[in-house]
Amino acid sequence: MIIKEVNLETVCGITSKLPINTEPEIAFAGKSNVGKSSLINALINRKALARTSSQPGKTQTINFYHVNQTFYYVDLPGYGYAKVAKTEKEKWGKMIEQYLKKSKQLKAVFLLVDIRHAPSENDRIMYQWILENGFHPIVIATKLDKIKRSQTAKQITLIREGLQVEPDTILIPFSAETKQGREEIWELVERLTDIPCGE
């Protein structure tokens, strides 16, 4: 897809009302510091539109990025960072749940997990939560460049087993550094949103 225009259009905090969009939405979920912002930046060919942070747990909002005036990438708050107060975690959880239940344009949820490690309990909970809200999570195994190529198959199996994924779950290894996996993700996005490749 040719990226002509991307705007951070809406930022929703805990007390904000969700926007009523009329175009397709693709959401990204994952624990803090798993690389959501880096993935979004890689997909839209921008170095720093999606805000990355050296402080995990800092993203406390739902961010809507309008791409080519045709669809949205939705960056959900990161979860699972120990230094965030329990009450804040609960509020973020409610934000995410409200979005998953109320968005009428949400077409798919990508769940990001770190390919270097077995999924955490929070990852497993999020996977099941997405399923319970009527979506089939597409799993993105991030930080592919941090492991040896010979380890890839073993780590993918570890993630599938750790999340107890459904048999037909799509899992794509991805690296923000090398961009491996980027085209596969784009092809899925184009199919899910019914947007022609040349748009």
Side-chain angles (χ1 to χ4, degrees):
M1 180 178 286
I2 300 168
I3 306 299
K4 299 175 182 176
E5 182 182 3
V6 184
N7 296 301
L8 175 55
E9 188 171 283
T10 310
V11 176
C12 290
I14 290 166
T15 59
S16 305
K17 284 187 178 181
L18 291 167
I20 302 174
N21 294 323
T22 58
E23 293 165 343
E25 297 170 359
I26 301 290
F28 297 89
K31 66 184 179 183
S32 302
N33 217 27
V34 75
K36 283 192 288 91
S37 296
S38 296
L39 170 62
I40 293 171
N41 284 329
L43 289 174
I44 59 179
N45 288 327
R46 303 290 191 276
K47 288 187 176 180
L49 182 65
R51 292 167 289 187
T52 58
S53 175
S54 58
Q55 296 175 276
K58 194 172 182 181
T59 302
Q60 303 177 20
T61 54
I62 299 177
N63 301 327
F64 291 78
Y65 296 93
H66 203 184
V67 183
N68 287 355
Q69 297 291 314
T70 54
F71 74 100
Y72 292 88
Y73 277 147
V74 182
D75 187 4
L76 301 175
Y79 57 79
Y81 188 55
K83 290 186 179 180
V84 176
K86 185 179 178 181
T87 52
E88 287 300 302
K89 290 179 185 177
E90 289 172 354
K91 287 177 183 176
W92 297 355
K94 288 177 181 176
M95 283 173 65
I96 294 171
E97 184 177 31
Q98 182 184 37
Y99 171 69
L100 292 177
K101 286 184 175 179
K102 292 190 175 182
S103 173
K104 294 182 179 179
Q105 296 299 329
L106 182 58
K107 303 302 180 186
V109 183
F110 287 83
L111 176 61
L112 280 63
V113 295
D114 190 328
I115 199 169
R116 298 173 296 177
H117 311 295
S120 67
E121 179 64 19
N122 283 319
D123 292 326
R124 289 190 289 273
I125 290 170
M126 181 57 71
Y127 181 85
Q128 291 300 321
W129 204 10
I130 295 167
L131 279 176
E132 288 167 11
N133 279 282
F135 298 94
H136 294 279
I138 298 163
V139 180
I140 306 296
T142 63
K143 310 197 180 191
L144 178 61
D145 55 285
K146 304 295 185 184
I147 65 171
K148 294 178 181 177
R149 185 173 296 180
S150 60
Q151 296 176 297
T152 303
K154 176 186 173 184
Q155 293 306 112
I156 287 174
T157 299
L158 187 70
I159 290 169
R160 285 190 179 277
E161 292 176 350
L163 291 176
Q164 298 179 334
V165 299
E166 296 187 326
D168 59 347
T169 297
I170 297 170
L171 192 155
I172 302 173
F174 173 78
S175 167
E177 293 294 323
T178 67
K179 305 298 187 292
Q180 184 173 336
R182 180 180 183 272
E183 293 308 312
E184 290 176 75
I185 297 169
W186 260 124
E187 286 173 9
L188 270 174
V189 169
E190 288 164 352
R191 195 164 77 231
L192 291 162
T193 57
D194 291 324
I195 295 169
C197 297
E199 286 285 316

